[in-house]
Each structure stands twice: as C-alpha cells, then as structure tokens.
Amino acid sequence: MSAAYPEQRVPPRLDDLAAVILAPTSALSGPDGQIRPIGAQGVFHADHRVLSRAVLLVDGLEPEAVAYAPGGPGVARFVALARWLGDEGPDPVVRIERLRTVTGQGLREEITIISSAAGPLAIDVSLALGCDFAPMEKVRSGFAGEPASAVSQADGALVWRGPGGVTTTVVGEDARAKAADDPRLAWQVALAPGGRAVLRWSAGVTDPGAVVIAATGPAEWSEPEVRADDRRLAGLLRLSLDDLRSLRMADATAPGDTFIGAGVPWYLTLFGRDSLWTARMLLPLGTELAESTLRVLARRQGKATGVHSGEAPGKILHELRRGEYTVTGRGGRIRLPPVYYGTVDATLLWICLLHDAWRWGMPEQEVAALLPALRAALGWLGGDADPDGDGFVEYVDEGGLGLANQGWKDSPDAVRFHDGRQAADPIALAEVQGYAYEAATGGAALLDAFAKPGEGDRWREYAAALAARFRDRFWVDTGPYGPLPALALDRDKRPVDSLTSNIGHLLGTGLLSPEEEGRVAGLLAAPEMSGGFGLRTMSARDGGYNPLSYHCGSVWVHDTVIVITGLAAAGHHESAADLARSLLDAAEAFGHRLPELYAGDDREPLGRPVPYPTACRPQAWSAAAAVSIVNAVLGVRPDVPAGRVALRPLAGAPLGALSVRGLRIAGADVEAAVDAAGDGSLTGLPGGLTLT
C-alpha cells in the first residue's frame, strides 16, 4: 500500500453531502457548502478529484450555515451567517450567500456578503484551497490522496497539474492568490452600513484524455406539465428531470450522441445497463435519448473475445473508464479494464430498448440503421450468452478480476439461497431469462418489419423453448413461500430458493402465463417484501436478509418501479399503486430527490426510510423512475407501427386525478389524464394513430 493511500477500508458516506452536478463535473460538499479534504467531498471531473478543498473563511472563521437549496441543473445556493460581526444584540447582521454553478468543465461561485449593521465593517475573506487528483476508485475505497502543489501564475491564477495532463486552474476576481504551503484566495472587503459585496472565483479543468464529455444543446426529452391531486408527483418529477439534465453526457468520440451518466459520484460515466434502463423509462417523453443511447453503445459493441474484459462479439459493454479501474473493499478487490463488458443483461436490454423505442415512434430510418447491431446482439444471445449450452443465459467471471456477479445485483454476496448460503457461479438469473425472452420476441418483431421474411422465426422459436425450460427448471415449491420462480440456477443447476425482487422483473416480459404472473404479484405484495418504503430486494424471512445490505434487503428505487410497471401491465393495479405510494412517501422524506437505494426497514417505528450511507444521489434510474410512476398511473402504451395507442390507467385512480401535458408519441406532444373516478383520456394523437 503506497503512502499516498494509507490503509482505510470504510467507503465514505454520501447521504450527508450536498451534490451539485453538470456532468462530467460534480461538486460534493457539506450542507454548508464547504468542501473539506475528508471522505468523498471535493470537485470531481469524470474519474478524478480536481479540488479537494474549498473552505470559505470570514476573519479566519467558518460562517454558520443556515440553509441550502438546489437551484436547477448544476446550481445550488448556500446561506450562512457571521454572527460575531456587526452590532451587539441577538439578531444576525452579516449574511453570506454562496451561489455555486457547476459548468461541466469546472465550477464558478459568487459569494455575496450582505450587512445590515449600523456602522461600516472591514472584513478579511479567504478561500482555502487544495487538490489531490485522487482517482475516483481510491476515494470510493476510502483512501485519501496526497495534496498536490499549486503554482501561482503571473495573472494571479493558481494551477495544479495532475496525471494524464489533467489541470485545475483557479482564478479569483480581484483576489490575492497564495500558492505556497497553504493555497488560498484572499479579499479585503469594506462594507458600508446596509451595504453588500460580491466576490467571484472559478475553477476550470483541462482533461485531454477524457472519454466522456459534457453534452451540448437542450435535453432530448419533453418538459411535461403535471396537474395532480397528489402534489408529490409534480415535485418529484420536476426535480428528477432537473437531475437527469445534470447527468447528461456524451461520448468523446461522438459528441453529438447523448446518454445519461449512471450516478454521482461513483458512476458518472457510460454504463450499459443503467443508461439503457434510464432511456427506457424516459420513452414517454420522447425517443431521442433512446436513439442516441443505442448508437453510443452500438458503436462500442463487442467485436472480439476477451477473458479479462468480458468482451464477446455482439455484446454491449458494462462500463467505460479512462483507464484501469481498481476498487478494494470488504468484498475484495476488482480490477477492470477501461472498456469492460462484464454484464449479462445489457445486451438484452439494448434489444428491448430498441424494440420499445420503435413502438413509441422512433423514426424508421433510425431503427433500420441499427439493424446490424441488432443482429449482432441476437447473435450473442444465441451463442456466447449460453456457454454451457443448457438453454439459459448465464455468466461467470473467467478472468477472476472482474465482477463475480454480473446481473444488476452485482455485489459479491447478492445471490443467496433461502438459508443464506451464497450460490456459486456460473449463475443463470431469473430476471435475465425474462429479458432474454423479451429480447427474442422483440427482436423477432423488428426483423419481421425491417429484414427479409422469416428471419424472426428463429427467435420466436427460441422464446417459446426458453419459456418451457424456465417453467420446468426455475419454478420451485420447497421453501416457506409455496411455488415461486427461483432467484437463479447455481453452478450445479440447483434452484436458488430465496424470495427476491428479481422475479418481479419477469412481469410483462411474456415469459410467464397470467396465472404465474398472479402468483408472483401475490408473493411480492406480502409484508416481508413490501412492508417498507418500496420493494425489498430480498424477503425479510430469508437467511441472507439485512435491511442495510446493498442487494439483500435494501430497497432500490429503479427495481421497485420496474416491478410497478410490470404489475400495472399485468393488471395487478392495487399492488402497483401500493408500491407507488411507498416510493412517493420515500421521495417526500428525501426532499423529492430519490437516492440509488435506502434501507429496507419496516415503515414503523421510524416512519421514514433510513439512508444507505454510500448511495449515489442523484442517480440516473432513480431519477427516471418518476416518469415511470407517472406513466404507470396513466397507462399509456403505444404501438406506433401498428397504428394504435392503448390507454389503461390504474383502476380507481389510487393516486387521485392526474393530468400530464407534454407526453410524446411519434414525435407529437399529447396530453393524458385520469380523473378522480379512474376514467382516462388521451388527446393530441398524431394522424394515423387510433386510441384503444
């Protein structure tokens, strides 16, 4: 272990930080706005911390924080007081407002000092600075970087130079700059009675080796207007769309194609699974983000076979980094190459997104352009996805340095039997078989429409055979729950008999019969699964359950909303509504910014969800979940190629009346509504589409 990263294994907390983001730059501070050289605080650009300290001092003291509020994508305001200054008496007379704006290539701040004192004030203001260029994976593993040296330039700028040509430049307007052992900017401020002073500084980042860059232009989705009896819906959707705008990024090799970075701070880059699910959830607001996400991932689709990278022909990547990514933690050590393909489901989800986007009205020429990538992805499904030839999609980390588990629950201990034992790989996950069925049938429909006749037949036959095999091998009736689909098959093809949220992802894929969907819906509605603020990842009756386990008892927002969508599509409206209300309760507790995950505790005795300390916030698919909740309530299900749009709102309007103007079908803005009696309406459909 190097001296730069002394031994420290506990990952730093995120739940108590204020995050201001415009990807690929993020600023994480305390709620007071101060950036201290501790934990995960800092200004990050992609995978490096480019400022580790930015502490504001007034006469050598830190102001007392009193308020913080986000102000939209990349903007936040912090309010503090200097109660030791000014007139005698209990009332504060000196107020400091700190407006922070993250730009995507750095940040700038405007510090306003306001006096209501009866007499003049002379104040020394300084900003103590520091930079360590710590790689993100080191910060995530709980290590602190060694401070880098600053250089003062003739124009008064302070400059830090880091690895790979990354450079941080700090400039203070009308400030004195000091570079030596204690880098800082300093101002002398004279305030007249009732006066104010405005101080400005900025930090710019140069990153010649960037693999992801800031997106340009407006967001790729509509801006819906929401009127709702449950006012939490509008608040959640508004802040969620702000967060999604702040997470927009582009591939440095194709700046015109945008995707959504997975989450702040650990995953602010291209992730196949996360970016695909996010684009899929946003389809009710337009297909443009889906189109660009599909292109970005197709551009890096696997061509060769690599043991360490997990690459295979036709496979969609898991994550993209600027260099090798090494993480050391309690789960062991992983070492991932810059382009890593260790995901069992991203390729299937890519096909599903292409199919769904086509149904929502993705232009035919855009779909046709991706036909070669579709064929390659289906080729992976029919070949390398099933290395042992048993007819199921499975994974194994052959290189031994990648992810041991490669479904969305990718922590080392995520796949457990009912008694708590861990399953050994190769592992075939239940939900992945559902994705495979859906990808095969969706791929067949696309081939029917865009390829030669009969090309889709192979994949319909594949899907039918998979459904029969799944029914034969995955359904078990040996534990305390009665018949249920197993979480997985392990190395010895034994069903992993725990009850988990994974089986909820099967709803709506077509893999299950209506009776089987009813059985799954009933299992998920039980208190041991739905007794908290959302759907638990594992039943409270299972031996591996822990409400603060990353994947074995916690609640994940995207996981819950995928199940809500499936329940609604399968007609289990009451269960869908119960889970939707649980997420809205959680959103209210988290200030309408839902984190990546939180604890799976019962709703009582605290009455609010317990944060998971290292959860990303904001996080892409948690933010996109707001759109899925709204559309599950409204029940808008288009099939543009077939010329029809179905409208099936949740029965009985369980969240009250709801009207949304600005949903987008086939490029046209439409308005969908459900009244207090549960009757739905849809207006503004483009010509050629019929409402059913």
Side-chain angles (χ1 to χ4, degrees):
M1 192 65 61
S2 71
Y5 302 108
E7 192 76 20
Q8 181 186 344
R9 296 294 187 183
V10 179
R13 287 179 61 181
L14 301 177
D15 60 291
D16 58 348
L17 300 183
V20 189
I21 309 102
L22 197 68
T25 305
S26 58
L28 274 67
S29 71
D32 56 1
Q34 303 282 44
I35 297 174
R36 301 176 177 85
I38 56 174
Q41 295 192 29
V43 178
F44 296 88
H45 186 77
D47 278 348
H48 280 86
R49 182 159 53 193
V50 294
L51 272 183
S52 56
R53 188 184 189 203
V55 175
L56 182 68
L57 301 172
V58 176
D59 283 347
L61 301 174
E62 290 193 34
E64 297 174 293
V66 292
Y68 149 70
V75 179
R77 189 180 297 272
F78 304 87
V79 180
L81 306 173
R83 292 196 296 159
W84 61 89
L85 292 175
D87 307 338
E88 293 185 2
D91 294 338
V93 296
V94 177
R95 172 186 177 113
I96 300 104
E97 295 188 358
R98 195 169 179 177
L99 178 63
R100 177 170 296 159
T101 303
V102 173
T103 64
Q105 293 82 35
L107 63 77
R108 61 179 183 269
E109 277 197 355
E110 187 174 275
I111 302 165
T112 303
I113 304 174
I114 306 164
S115 172
S116 58
L121 296 174
I123 306 173
D124 290 327
V125 179
S126 63
L127 186 73
L129 298 161
C131 178
D132 64 359
F133 290 111
M136 179 61 73
E137 62 266 32
K138 297 296 184 182
V139 178
R140 184 183 177 190
S141 296
F143 298 113
E146 185 173 318
S149 298
V151 176
S152 180
Q153 295 187 330
D155 61 359
L158 295 174
V159 178
W160 289 262
R161 292 184 173 86
V166 179
T167 302
T168 303
T169 303
V170 172
V171 177
E173 187 177 301
D174 301 322
R176 302 186 314 276
K178 174 188 174 185
D181 296 331
D182 185 19
R184 63 183 55 223
L185 301 173
W187 296 265
Q188 290 284 333
V189 177
L191 286 177
R196 68 173 56 206
V198 180
L199 312 177
R200 297 179 178 88
W201 71 278
S202 64
V205 181
T206 302
D207 185 8
V211 295
V212 293
I213 58 175
T216 58
E220 292 75 14
W221 52 83
S222 64
E223 290 294 325
E225 298 176 22
V226 178
R227 298 187 301 277
D229 285 350
D230 191 327
R231 296 187 178 183
R232 298 174 299 178
L233 273 173
L236 174 61
L237 186 62
R238 181 173 57 252
L239 186 53
S240 295
L241 292 178
D242 278 351
D243 284 342
L244 289 165
R245 281 194 292 271
S246 74
L247 293 170
R248 293 173 65 240
M249 309 178 78
D251 187 338
T253 65
D257 280 339
T258 302
F259 61 91
I260 306 297
V264 174
W266 316 132
Y267 311 120
L268 199 53
T269 186
L270 175 64
F271 271 75
R273 179 189 302 118
D274 300 59
S275 299
L276 287 163
W277 267 122
T278 301
R280 198 176 185 189
M281 291 177 182
L282 286 179
L283 282 173
L285 305 185
T287 64
E288 289 86 350
L289 178 66
E291 294 165 27
S292 60
T293 302
L294 289 163
R295 288 193 296 266
V296 167
L297 290 167
R299 200 172 288 119
R300 296 180 180 272
Q301 195 171 23
K303 301 289 193 299
T305 299
V307 173
H308 181 41
S309 67
E311 185 178 0
K315 198 175 184 183
I316 297 298
L317 63 78
H318 175 59
E319 64 183 280
L320 175 69
R321 302 281 185 177
R322 64 183 298 148
E324 188 175 86
Y325 187 82
T326 302
V327 176
T328 302
R330 290 173 177 168
R333 178 184 177 90
I334 62 171
R335 192 171 82 235
L336 308 182
V339 185
Y340 179 57
Y341 290 82
T343 166
V344 73
D345 53 11
T347 310
L348 308 172
L349 294 171
W350 187 95
I351 299 171
C352 293
L353 175 60
L354 178 62
H355 173 263
D356 286 2
W358 175 52
R359 298 293 186 194
W360 276 90
M362 180 175 171
E364 289 190 356
Q365 66 271 22
E366 299 291 343
V367 178
L370 291 168
L371 208 59
L374 169 65
R375 287 195 176 101
L378 287 169
W380 176 82
L381 172 58
D384 289 327
D386 180 16
D388 64 5
D390 68 344
F392 295 115
V393 179
E394 57 217 347
Y395 61 82
V396 62
D397 175 33
E398 294 181 352
L401 296 173
L403 296 172
N405 283 315
Q406 297 183 1
W408 84 260
K409 294 180 180 177
D410 57 5
S411 53
D413 63 348
V415 184
R416 291 172 173 263
F417 288 86
H418 170 63
D419 61 11
R421 290 175 297 123
Q422 291 187 32
D425 57 21
I427 290 172
L429 291 168
E431 79 274 19
V432 172
Q433 314 316 311
Y435 303 157
Y437 182 96
E438 190 174 5
T441 55
L446 288 163
L447 291 173
D448 287 346
F450 291 92
K452 59 186 180 183
E455 192 173 346
D457 292 346
R458 172 192 173 187
W459 299 107
R460 275 183 290 273
E461 293 168 2
Y462 172 95
L466 175 61
R469 284 192 300 271
F470 185 89
R471 196 161 285 117
D472 180 57
R473 299 297 305 278
F474 269 80
W475 278 85
V476 295
D477 189 7
T478 57
Y481 306 110
L484 83 161
L487 162 61
L489 301 182
D490 75 351
R491 177 175 56 199
D492 299 317
K493 308 304 178 184
R494 292 175 301 184
V496 180
D497 58 349
S498 51
L499 172 57
T500 66
S501 62
N502 300 58
I503 63 173
H505 292 221
L506 299 171
L507 299 169
T509 64
L511 182 65
L512 303 181
S513 69
E515 293 76 19
E516 290 166 341
E517 287 188 321
R519 176 62 185 159
V520 168
L523 288 165
L524 298 181
E528 56 264 28
M529 289 298 293
S530 296
F533 289 88
L535 184 67
R536 292 188 177 105
T537 44
M538 176 175 279
S539 166
R541 296 170 65 187
D542 279 325
Y545 171 76
N546 171 4
L548 275 169
S549 165
Y550 197 55
H551 286 130
C552 297
S554 59
V555 171
W556 284 65
V557 174
H558 88 284
D559 181 38
T560 301
V561 88
I562 288 169
V563 175
I564 290 172
T565 301
L567 287 167
H572 299 279
H573 292 186
E574 184 177 350
S575 296
D578 287 344
L579 287 175
R581 282 189 288 261
S582 292
L583 285 187
L584 290 173
D585 290 343
E588 192 170 31
F590 286 113
H592 300 297
R593 176 180 270 178
L594 283 164
E596 178 185 17
L597 73 153
Y598 42 88
D601 297 278
D602 286 333
R603 296 175 69 92
E604 299 297 336
L606 284 180
R608 57 178 296 126
V610 174
Y612 186 86
T614 60
C616 290
R617 184 168 176 251
Q619 203 251 8
W621 53 19
S622 289
V627 178
S628 287
I629 293 172
V630 167
N631 196 53
V633 173
L634 295 170
V636 179
R637 299 186 181 93
D639 187 351
V640 172
R644 58 180 179 262
V645 179
L647 184 66
R648 297 171 187 151
L650 292 185
L655 298 183
L658 171 66
S659 173
V660 182
R661 177 182 298 171
L663 298 182
R664 191 170 287 168
I665 299 174
D669 283 351
V670 303
E671 180 174 359
V674 57
D675 63 22
D679 296 322
S681 63
L682 186 64
T683 57
L685 282 178
L689 294 181
T690 302
L691 178 64
T692 63

